C-alpha cells in the first residue's frame, strides 16, 4: 500500500490546473524557449555568438535575424528558468487583456524597438567625438529578459497602482519600479546586460505613452488573422484568447494613453505624457470609479475577483441573449435596461419584506449606472450599442462585468460560426 498516492495525485492535479490557467501564447513562448534550450543542451551547442544580439555583426554584416533569435535562446538553466517563471504572470495578465495575436504582435514590436534602441546607444557610445568606446558594439546579449522589462513597464502602468514592492522588502513608486529592478539585478547577478534591460524599459515606456501607435494596426487586422483557416486549430483551443472586442486602438489602455488616438507620436501630447513620468499623484486611497480612465469598481490587475460576479457571469450572458430586442431604438434599449434593474431590486425588496412579515422596505438604490461617455467607450470597442446598454444594465453598471458579458457573447458567436463553416 502506498500512502502518498493521494498527495501525488493532488500535486499533479494542481500542476495541471496551473498550466491550464496559462493562456495560449504565453504557454507557447515558454515551450519554445524551453525546448530550444533543451535541444542546445542535448546536442552540446554553445556557440551563442552566432545567435545573440551583437551590434557589430548587425551593422557590419546586416545579420538582422539576431534581433529575434536572441530573445528565444538562453545561456543557462537558471537563465531560462527565471525568465519563463517571470513571464507566466506578466504574459498571462497582458494576454487576457490584449488577446493572443495582439500580444504576439506586441512582442515582435518590442523586440524590434529594443534592438533599435540598443543599436543607437551602442553606436553613439562607440562613435561619439569625446571618448569613443567599442565595448557595447561587441557585447553579446541573449535572453527574453529585455521583453520582460518592457512587459513590467506596461503592466505596471496598466495596473494604476501608486507603489510596488521589490521582493517584499520595500516599496518604491510604481513608475520607478522597473528602474529599481534594473539596479537590483545588476548588483546581485553577474553577466547581466545592463543595456539590454535598459532598452527594454525604454521600449516599454515608449509603448505605454503611445509613441508606437502609428505602427499598430487596427482590430480588423487581428480579426483577419484569427479568422484565417491556417489558425483555426489554434483559435478553437480553450486557452486561445480572441482580440475581438478589445481596445480599438490596439494598445494597452494606460492612464496616459487610453484616450489618445492612433499615431500619438504626432498628436501634440508628448509633453503631457512625458511630464507624467514623475509620481505626482496622491497616495491616498480613492475610488477608481470616479476616474473615467479606470471604469469599474476599483479592481486592478492581480486583484482578487468578486466570486459573485464570476458565478453570475453565465446568468448575465443568458440575460443578454434573452433581453436583446430585434430592432430597438437607443432610447428604448436604455429604458429596458433601467426597468430590468429596477424590477430586480423591487423583487428583492418584496421578498425581504415578506420574509420579515413587516411593512415593505424602501426601494434599495441600484448600483452605479454607466454614463453615456462610458457606454460610448464600449461602443467604440466594436460592440453594438444596444448590446452594450443591455449588458451594462445586466451588470448593474459595472463596466468590467459588462465587457466580460459582451466578449463571452462574441466568443460564443464566433465559435458557433466556425463550427457551422466547418
Amino acid at each position: 500500500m502506498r500512502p502518498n498516492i493521494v498527495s501525488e495525485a493532488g500535486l499533479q492535479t494542481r500542476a495541471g490546473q496551473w498550466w491550464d490557467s496559462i493562456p495560449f501564447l504565453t504557454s507557447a513562448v515558454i515551450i519554445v524557449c524551453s525546448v530550444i534550450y533543451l535541444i542546445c543542451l542535448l546536442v552540446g551547442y554553445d556557440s551563442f555568438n552566432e545567435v545573440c544580439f551583437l551590434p557589430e555583426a548587425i551593422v557590419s554584416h546586416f545579420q538582422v535575424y539576431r534581433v529575434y533569435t536572441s530573445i528565444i535562446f538562453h545561456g543557462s538553466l537558471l537563465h531560462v528558468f527565471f525568465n519563463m517563471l517571470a513571464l507566466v504572470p506578466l504574459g498571462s495578465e497582458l494576454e487576457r487583456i490584449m488577446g493572443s495575436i495582439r500580444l504576439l504582435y506586441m512582442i515582435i514590436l518590442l523586440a524590434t524597438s529594443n534592438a533599435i534602441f540598443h543599436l543607437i546607444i551602442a553606436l553613439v557610445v562607440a562613435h561619439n567625438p569625446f571618448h569613443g568606446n567599442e565595448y557595447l558594439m561587441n557585447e553579446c546579449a541573449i535572453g527574453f529578459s529585455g521583453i520582460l522589462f518592457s512587459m513590467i513597464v506596461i503592466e505596471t502602468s496598466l495596473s494604476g497602482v501608486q507603489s510596488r514592492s521589490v521582493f517584499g522588502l520595500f516599496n518604491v513608486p510604481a513608475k520607478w519600479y522597473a528602474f529599481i529592478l534594473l539596479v537590483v539585478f545588476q548588483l546581485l547577478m553577474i553577466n547581466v546586460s545592463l543595456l539590454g534591460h535598459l532598452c527594454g524599459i525604454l521600449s516599454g515606456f515608449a509603448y505605454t505613452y503611445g509613441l508606437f501607435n502609428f505602427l499598430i494596426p487596427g482590430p480588423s487586422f487581428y480579426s483577419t488573422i484569427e479568422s484565417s483557416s491556417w489558425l483555426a486549430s489554434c483559435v478553437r483551443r480553450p486557452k486561445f484568447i480572441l482580440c475581438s472586442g478589445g481596445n480599438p486602438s490596439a494598445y494597452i489602455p494606460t492612464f496616459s494613453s487610453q484616450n489618445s488616438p492612433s499615431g500619438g507620436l504626432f498628436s501634440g501630447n508628448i509633453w503631457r505624457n512625458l511630464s507624467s513620468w514623475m509620481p505626482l499623484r496622491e497616495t491616498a486611497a480613492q475610488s477608481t470609479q470616479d476616474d473615467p480612465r479606470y471604469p469599474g469598481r476599483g479592481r486592478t490587475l492581480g486583484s482578487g475577483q468578486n466570486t459573485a460576479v464570476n458565478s453570475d457571469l453565465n446568468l448575465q450572458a443568458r440575460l443578454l441573449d434573452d433581453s436583446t430586442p430585434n430592432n430597438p431604438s437607443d432610447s428604448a434599449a436604455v429604458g429596458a435596461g433601467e426597468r430590468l434593474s429596477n424590477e430586480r431590486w423591487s423583487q428583492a425588496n418584496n421578498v425581504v419584506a415578506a420574509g420579515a412579515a413587516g411593512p415593505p422596505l424602501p426601494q434599495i438604490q441600484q448600483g452605479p449606472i454607466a454614463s453615456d461617455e462610458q457606454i460610448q467607450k464600449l461602443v467604440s470597442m466594436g460592440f453594438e450599442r444596444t448590446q452594450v446598454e443591455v449588458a451594462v444594465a445586466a451588470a448593474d453598471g459595472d463596466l468590467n462585468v459588462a465587457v466580460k458579458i459582451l466578449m463571452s457573447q462574441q466568443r460564443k458567436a464566433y465559435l458557433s460560426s466556425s463550427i457551422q463553416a466547418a
Side-chain angles (χ1 to χ4, degrees):
M1 181 176 179
R2 297 178 58 189
N4 60 344
I5 291 179
V6 176
S7 61
E8 289 179 359
L11 180 61
Q12 293 176 359
T13 301
R14 288 193 295 270
Q17 292 175 346
W18 173 78
W19 178 254
D20 291 339
S21 66
I22 303 176
F24 177 81
L25 182 65
T26 304
S27 58
V29 172
I30 295 174
I31 292 174
V32 169
C33 293
S34 302
V35 169
I36 288 177
Y37 175 76
L38 290 177
I39 293 176
C40 294
L41 189 64
L42 293 176
V43 302
Y45 180 83
D46 57 357
S47 301
F48 296 116
N49 286 332
E50 300 175 355
V51 295
C52 69
F53 185 85
L54 189 61
E56 180 64 30
I58 295 176
V59 173
S60 301
H61 305 288
F62 200 66
Q63 297 177 351
V64 183
Y65 66 88
R66 292 176 178 269
V67 173
Y68 307 105
T69 57
S70 61
I71 66 175
I72 58 177
F73 281 83
H74 292 80
S76 66
L77 178 61
L78 290 179
H79 190 196
V80 66
F81 175 76
F82 284 114
N83 276 358
M84 297 302 102
L85 192 63
L87 175 64
V88 170
L90 289 172
S92 300
E93 203 71 69
L94 293 177
E95 186 172 357
R96 292 188 183 102
I97 297 172
M98 306 177 69
S100 300
I101 299 298
R102 186 176 293 171
L103 179 62
L104 176 61
Y105 184 87
M106 187 195 76
I107 291 176
I108 296 174
L109 178 62
L110 291 176
T112 306
S113 61
N114 288 358
I116 293 175
F117 283 131
H118 199 138
L119 278 175
I120 292 175
I121 295 176
L123 288 172
V124 169
V125 172
H127 301 289
N128 71 86
F130 304 102
H131 181 69
N133 193 333
E134 296 284 341
Y135 171 75
L136 294 180
M137 292 294 295
N138 299 314
E139 183 185 51
C140 187
I142 196 172
F144 203 79
S145 53
I147 306 295
L148 290 177
F149 270 89
S150 299
M151 288 184 171
I152 289 173
V153 173
I154 295 172
E155 191 271 341
T156 300
S157 299
L158 178 60
S159 66
V161 296
Q162 301 293 333
S163 63
R164 286 213 141 170
S165 174
V166 179
F167 304 121
L169 300 177
F170 56 91
N171 292 333
V172 296
K175 292 187 177 182
W176 304 112
Y177 177 64
F179 292 102
I180 299 299
L181 289 181
L182 174 68
V183 174
V184 170
F185 287 144
Q186 200 67 30
L187 294 177
L188 297 181
M189 299 182 180
I190 59 175
N191 296 329
V192 176
S193 176
L194 173 63
L195 183 57
H197 293 170
L198 178 61
C199 291
I201 295 176
L202 295 179
S203 295
F205 275 112
Y207 188 95
T208 299
Y209 290 105
L211 301 184
F212 294 157
N213 289 351
F214 66 98
L215 297 174
I216 300 177
S220 59
F221 172 79
Y222 306 107
S223 301
T224 302
I225 296 178
E226 291 171 347
S227 59
S228 60
S229 58
W230 58 273
L231 201 62
S233 59
C234 296
V235 173
R236 291 193 182 98
R237 294 181 177 273
K239 297 173 64 171
F240 190 93
I241 299 178
L242 297 173
C243 300
S244 303
N247 190 334
S249 300
Y251 57 87
I252 288 293
T254 61
F255 57 87
S256 62
S257 62
Q258 179 176 356
N259 297 325
S260 61
S262 181
L265 183 60
F266 309 104
S267 63
N269 296 327
I270 297 179
W271 172 250
R272 182 186 62 187
N273 292 338
L274 294 179
S275 64
S276 63
W277 277 39
M278 298 301 295
L280 300 177
R281 292 182 293 173
E282 297 179 359
T283 57
Q286 297 178 356
S287 175
T288 55
Q289 66 183 8
D290 297 332
D291 193 339
R293 298 170 298 184
Y294 298 106
R297 297 181 180 175
R299 290 191 293 272
T300 57
L301 289 181
S303 63
Q305 298 296 327
N306 191 333
T307 57
V309 169
N310 293 332
S311 62
D312 291 339
L313 184 58
N314 293 331
L315 175 61
Q316 292 167 344
R318 292 195 299 270
L319 179 61
L320 177 63
D321 284 337
D322 299 336
S323 302
T324 304
N326 294 329
N327 294 306
S329 62
D330 292 342
S331 59
V334 173
E338 292 178 352
R339 287 195 301 272
L340 175 63
S341 181
N342 290 333
E343 289 176 2
R344 182 162 56 181
W345 286 104
S346 177
Q347 291 174 1
N349 290 335
N350 294 337
V351 171
V352 173
L361 296 177
Q363 291 291 329
I364 302 177
Q365 295 295 330
Q366 57 182 344
I369 300 300
S371 63
D372 291 339
E373 180 183 357
Q374 293 171 330
I375 292 178
Q376 187 59 35
K377 287 183 180 179
L378 296 183
V379 173
S380 65
M381 290 181 180
F383 302 117
E384 295 182 2
R385 184 178 182 87
T386 301
Q387 292 185 346
V388 168
E389 292 168 343
V390 176
V392 169
D396 286 340
D398 192 329
L399 294 189
N400 292 330
V401 178
V403 169
K404 291 181 180 179
I405 296 174
L406 292 168
M407 293 189 68
S408 66
Q409 291 302 109
Q410 282 200 355
R411 185 177 181 86
K412 185 190 302 181
Y414 180 85
L415 293 177
S416 62
S417 61
S418 299
I419 294 174
Q420 292 176 359

